[in-house]
Amino acid sequence: MRTQVGIIGAGPAGLLLAQLLAVRGIDSVVLENHSRDYVQARIRAGILEQGTTDALRDAGLGARLDREGLVHDGLRLTFDGEQHRLDLRALTGRAVTIYGQTEVVKDLIAARLDSGAPLHFEVDDVRVDVATPAVRYRHEGVEHELRCDAIAGCDGFHGVCRAAIPEAEVTTWERAYPFAWLGILADVAPSTDELIYARHERGFALHSMRSRERSRLYVQVDPGDDVARWPDARVWEELHARLASDGFALAEGPVLEKSITPMRSFVAAPLRHGPLFLAGDAAHIVPPTGAKGLNLAMADVLVLADALIDGSPAALDAYSDRCLRRVWRAQHFSWWMTGMLHVDPAGDAYDRELARSQLRYVTRSRAAATSLAENYVGYDR
Ligand SMILES: Cc1cc2nc3c(=O)[nH]c(=O)nc-3n(C[C@H](O)[C@H](O)[C@H](O)COP(=O)(O)OP(=O)(O)OC[C@H]3O[C@@H](n4cnc5c(N)ncnc54)[C@H](O)[C@@H]3O)c2cc1C
């Protein structure tokens, strides 16, 4: 088998890349090791920057997004029992859209399958050969070799593509955090019309949503914690305590899903090794506090699609550096938001006062608020 671009991973990065290339007449084959049902049900991110929604629309995927996505012009910060609003649109001219990663992935898979272009689920034993270049894999018990001009490693943090680059040719940076997020999906209308990020002495909490009917809520927990130790009543009790502010009432509902997500910052560079191009979580991850992971993955493949369509050595060479500028801005913003909003169990009173001072600053200074807002809606220069 032969194709122009072999794409490993049918997450948001791999699927959007396939769509962008197809629109411009470039052939690709997408290989995914999980089933379609599994990929479509994986609950993860849900906040799309304007650059991401524009890209989805340009790729012909705007219909359901425009019908069901919730445009948010602002966000709320709660600390010391008070809620403050940051007007993202007034500060930056831009907004964000709430539309679950599950929905983005469903739309992208439907578009790919409708077009008849190859997308194979449940492939096994994917191996990357950068010398040939080729991707070898097993599907339905049969061995395959896919020869390609370029290989897009869109296989997430635990994929095989990053590991295919010799260790000596890649530099990594990493930061672990002493906390994780316990998230629930609740069958209840959101108690707020915009996201609430809260810092409380008991830890961080976030009130987010997936639709007008479904709420997504998080509390900071220990990274070694276990969901079994968090019955629904305990989760709601913490949410009530941490999100409390004058005039805010949290509505409870049946919990449909509950999971713990560890937090890590990671970058591997460069994003290119010969014909292999890493994109999205395969190359970098951020703690979810800045809502950047999905948006960075989409931003990478927008640059990659342009480079592959251009095809010149200069365009392909520029891919890694162009992405890394944005990646490092998002790394800093995600690290900074995480530090400001979480309570470090090893921290002391001095750390707590610094975080409170920073929160007062971003809610009282227009310059500080603009900086937060500019990063939150997506900064790419
Ligand atoms: C539990 C969790 C919660 C998150 N919550 C948030 C959030 O609230 N906000 C936010 O902004 N971000 C969040 N993120 C991050 C965000 O979801 C990711 O940044 C985003 O999914 C990156 O997209 P991607 O396509 O690069 O990688 P992925 O979505 O990981 O997709 C990679 C795909 O490759 C497949 N794959 C892996 N290995 C192979 C292989 N060997 N062969 C073939 N296929 C393979 C995987 O099955 C997967 O489908 C979360 C991530 C996780 C893990």
Side-chain angles (χ1 to χ4, degrees):
M1 277 195 299
R2 228 211 111 71
T3 189
Q4 286 169 287
V5 184
I7 301 177
I8 305 179
L15 290 165
L16 179 63
L17 177 63
Q19 179 74 8
L20 293 169
L21 295 176
V23 167
R24 304 287 292 274
I26 306 244
D27 290 341
S28 67
V29 173
V30 185
L31 303 172
E32 164 62 46
N33 63 356
H34 285 98
S35 69
R36 179 181 181 181
D37 286 348
Y38 179 89
V39 170
Q40 294 191 161
R42 222 167 13 193
I43 297 173
R44 290 183 169 182
I47 302 163
L48 307 185
E49 295 173 3
Q50 202 157 307
T52 303
T53 51
D54 289 348
L56 289 168
R57 276 189 208 103
D58 290 350
L61 292 153
R64 198 162 72 94
L65 167 68
D66 286 334
R67 234 177 19 252
E68 297 178 19
L70 307 174
V71 176
H72 282 195
D73 288 337
L75 61 78
R76 315 289 171 99
L77 290 171
T78 292
F79 61 99
D80 292 343
E82 283 180 16
Q83 196 182 93
H84 306 258
R85 179 168 193 266
L86 258 62
D87 190 329
L88 299 172
R89 189 168 308 268
L91 291 164
T92 67
R94 298 213 227 167
V96 294
T97 301
I98 308 303
Y99 191 67
Q101 182 168 332
T102 44
E103 308 315 301
V104 172
V105 165
K106 277 182 210 161
D107 293 348
L108 283 163
I109 289 176
R112 180 76 180 177
L113 296 179
D114 284 352
S115 75
L119 161 55
H120 303 300
F121 291 101
E122 299 182 71
V123 302
D124 288 318
D125 196 18
V126 173
R127 284 144 287 151
V128 176
D129 170 358
V130 286
T132 307
V135 182
R136 300 192 184 86
Y137 61 98
R138 213 170 31 250
H139 189 221
E140 295 171 345
V142 180
E143 280 291 332
H144 295 271
E145 179 177 274
L146 176 67
R147 297 264 179 142
C148 21
D149 302 326
I151 300 166
C154 303
D155 52 347
F157 186 65
H158 300 288
V160 293
C161 291
R162 193 175 66 251
I165 304 177
E167 245 177 64
E169 309 221 4
V170 62
T171 305
T172 60
W173 296 261
E174 193 159 4
R175 175 67 44 101
Y177 298 85
F179 24 75
W181 280 13
L182 180 140
I184 57 166
L185 183 68
D187 194 14
V188 59
S191 308
T192 173
D193 54 351
E194 292 174 344
L195 270 70
I196 306 172
Y197 291 81
R199 185 184 206 277
H200 187 275
E201 60 193 24
R202 291 161 79 143
F204 168 79
L206 169 61
H207 189 328
S208 179
M209 62 283 291
R210 285 295 177 268
S211 66
R212 288 190 180 80
E213 298 80 33
R214 294 250 162 106
S215 300
R216 180 89 172 135
L217 301 118
Y218 300 90
V219 287
Q220 174 189 339
V221 298
D222 187 89
D225 219 327
D226 182 346
V227 279
R229 295 185 349 101
W230 286 87
D232 297 354
R234 183 177 175 206
V235 180
W236 288 114
E237 188 189 320
E238 282 303 312
L239 286 166
H240 280 290
R242 298 183 193 189
L243 291 167
S245 66
D246 278 351
F248 175 72
L250 178 66
E252 296 184 18
V255 173
L256 306 174
E257 193 261 358
K258 192 188 294 171
S259 54
I260 291 182
T261 309
M263 285 195 173
R264 194 178 346 202
S265 299
F266 176 86
V267 181
L271 274 59
R272 177 186 182 189
H273 177 67
L276 171 62
F277 297 83
L278 301 179
D281 277 20
H284 44 76
I285 53 173
V286 283
T289 327
K292 289 286 157 244
L294 172 61
N295 292 296
L296 278 183
M298 303 300 237
D300 281 358
V301 295
L302 284 171
V303 178
L304 181 54
D306 280 349
L308 291 169
I309 289 159
D310 180 304
S312 68
L316 297 170
D317 280 347
Y319 166 68
S320 183
D321 283 349
R322 280 189 62 194
C323 291
L324 285 169
R325 278 197 293 275
R326 186 189 182 105
V327 166
W328 276 111
R329 177 86 305 275
Q331 287 285 334
H332 177 266
F333 177 64
S334 304
W335 165 86
W336 174 79
M337 281 280 277
T338 301
M340 178 173 73
L341 288 163
H342 291 71
V343 176
D344 184 341
D348 57 15
Y350 183 78
D351 295 309
R352 285 195 292 280
E353 289 309 320
L354 287 183
R356 291 176 66 222
S357 169
Q358 186 62 29
L359 280 161
R360 280 197 298 271
Y361 186 43
V362 294
T363 50
R364 285 174 199 176
S365 152
R366 187 176 173 91
T370 305
S371 172
L372 190 158
E374 186 169 69
N375 281 280
Y376 192 79
V377 299
Y379 183 79
D380 57 4
R381 268 158 290 165

Coordinates of all heavy atoms in Angstrom, one line a residue, residues 58 84-85 114 128 137 169-170 217 225 229 231 271 274 285 288 290 294 302 336 365-366:
D58 N -13.5 26.2 8.5 CA -12.8 26.2 7.2 C -12.7 24.8 6.6 O -12.6 24.6 5.4 CB -11.4 26.8 7.4 CG -11.5 28.3 7.7 OD1 -12.6 28.9 7.6 OD2 -10.4 28.9 8.0
H84 N -15.4 36.9 40.5 CA -15.1 38.0 39.6 C -15.2 37.6 38.2 O -14.9 36.5 37.8 CB -13.6 38.5 39.9 CG -13.3 38.7 41.3 ND1 -13.2 40.0 41.8 CD2 -13.1 37.9 42.4 CE1 -13.0 39.9 43.1 NE2 -12.9 38.7 43.5
R85 N -15.6 38.5 37.3 CA -15.7 38.2 35.9 C -14.6 38.8 35.0 O -14.3 40.0 35.2 CB -17.1 38.7 35.3 CG -17.3 38.3 33.9 CD -18.7 38.5 33.4 NE -18.9 37.9 32.1 CZ -18.8 38.6 31.0 NH1 -18.6 39.9 31.0 NH2 -19.0 38.0 29.8
D114 N -17.6 9.4 5.6 CA -18.5 9.8 4.5 C -17.7 10.0 3.2 O -18.2 9.8 2.1 CB -19.2 11.2 4.9 CG -20.3 11.0 5.9 OD1 -20.6 9.8 6.2 OD2 -20.8 12.0 6.3
V128 N 7.0 2.2 13.2 CA 7.3 3.3 12.3 C 8.7 3.1 11.8 O 9.7 2.9 12.5 CB 7.3 4.7 13.1 CG1 7.8 5.8 12.2 CG2 5.9 4.9 13.6
Y137 N 1.9 -2.5 10.3 CA 0.9 -2.8 11.4 C 0.1 -4.0 11.0 O 0.2 -4.5 9.9 CB 0.0 -1.5 11.5 CG -0.8 -1.2 10.2 CD1 -2.2 -1.7 10.1 CD2 -0.3 -0.5 9.2 CE1 -2.9 -1.4 8.9 CE2 -1.0 -0.2 8.0 CZ -2.3 -0.7 7.9 OH -3.0 -0.4 6.7
E169 N 18.5 12.4 19.5 CA 18.1 13.4 18.6 C 16.9 14.2 19.1 O 16.3 15.0 18.4 CB 17.7 12.8 17.3 CG 18.9 12.0 16.8 CD 19.2 12.1 15.3 OE1 18.5 12.9 14.7 OE2 20.0 11.3 14.8
V170 N 16.5 13.9 20.4 CA 15.3 14.6 20.9 C 15.7 15.1 22.3 O 16.3 14.4 23.1 CB 14.1 13.7 20.8 CG1 14.2 12.5 21.7 CG2 12.8 14.4 21.2
L217 N -17.5 19.1 36.1 CA -17.0 19.7 37.3 C -15.7 19.0 37.7 O -15.6 17.8 37.6 CB -18.0 19.8 38.4 CG -19.3 20.5 38.0 CD1 -20.5 19.5 38.1 CD2 -19.6 21.7 38.9
D225 N -4.6 9.6 44.6 CA -6.0 9.3 45.0 C -6.7 8.3 44.1 O -6.3 8.1 43.0 CB -6.8 10.7 45.1 CG -7.6 10.7 46.3 OD1 -8.1 9.6 46.8 OD2 -7.8 11.8 46.9
R229 N -12.5 6.3 46.5 CA -12.6 7.1 47.8 C -13.4 8.4 47.6 O -13.5 9.2 48.5 CB -11.2 7.5 48.2 CG -10.3 6.3 48.6 CD -9.0 6.6 49.2 NE -8.5 7.9 49.1 CZ -8.5 8.8 50.1 NH1 -9.0 8.4 51.3 NH2 -8.1 10.0 50.0
P231 N -17.0 9.0 46.7 CA -18.4 8.8 46.4 C -19.1 10.1 46.0 O -18.5 11.2 46.3 CB -19.1 8.3 47.7 CG -18.1 8.6 48.8 CD -16.7 8.7 48.1
L271 N 10.1 18.7 16.6 CA 8.8 17.9 16.3 C 9.0 17.2 15.0 O 8.1 16.5 14.5 CB 7.6 18.9 16.2 CG 6.9 19.2 17.5 CD1 7.8 19.9 18.5 CD2 5.7 20.2 17.2
G274 N 13.4 13.7 10.1 CA 13.2 13.2 8.7 C 11.8 13.3 8.3 O 11.2 14.3 8.4
I285 N 2.5 18.0 26.3 CA 1.2 18.0 27.1 C 1.3 19.1 28.1 O 2.4 19.5 28.5 CB 0.9 16.6 27.7 CG1 2.0 16.1 28.6 CG2 0.4 15.6 26.7 CD1 1.7 14.9 29.4
P288 N -4.4 20.7 32.4 CA -5.6 21.2 31.8 C -6.1 22.6 32.2 O -7.0 23.1 31.7 CB -6.7 20.1 32.0 CG -6.2 19.4 33.3 CD -4.7 19.5 33.3
G290 N -5.2 25.6 31.8 CA -5.3 26.7 30.8 C -6.2 26.3 29.6 O -6.3 27.1 28.7
L294 N -6.0 20.4 23.7 CA -6.7 20.2 22.5 C -6.4 21.3 21.4 O -6.2 21.0 20.3 CB -8.2 20.1 22.7 CG -9.2 20.0 21.6 CD1 -8.9 18.8 20.7 CD2 -10.6 20.0 22.0
L302 N -2.6 22.4 11.9 CA -2.8 23.5 10.9 C -1.5 23.9 10.2 O -1.4 24.0 9.0 CB -3.5 24.7 11.6 CG -4.9 24.6 11.9 CD1 -5.4 25.7 12.8 CD2 -5.8 24.5 10.7
W336 N 1.5 28.6 34.9 CA 1.2 29.8 35.7 C -0.3 29.7 36.2 O -0.5 29.9 37.4 CB 1.4 31.0 34.8 CG 1.0 32.3 35.4 CD1 1.7 33.0 36.3 CD2 -0.2 33.0 35.2 NE1 1.0 34.2 36.7 CE2 -0.2 34.2 36.0 CE3 -1.4 32.8 34.4 CZ2 -1.2 35.1 36.0 CZ3 -2.4 33.7 34.4 CH2 -2.3 34.9 35.2
S365 N -6.5 44.6 37.8 CA -5.7 45.4 36.8 C -6.1 45.0 35.4 O -6.1 43.8 35.1 CB -4.2 45.1 37.0 OG -3.5 45.2 35.8
R366 N -6.4 46.0 34.6 CA -6.8 45.7 33.2 C -5.6 45.1 32.5 O -5.8 44.2 31.6 CB -7.3 46.9 32.5 CG -7.9 46.6 31.2 CD -8.5 47.9 30.5 NE -8.9 47.5 29.1 CZ -10.1 47.1 28.8 NH1 -11.0 46.9 29.7 NH2 -10.4 46.8 27.5

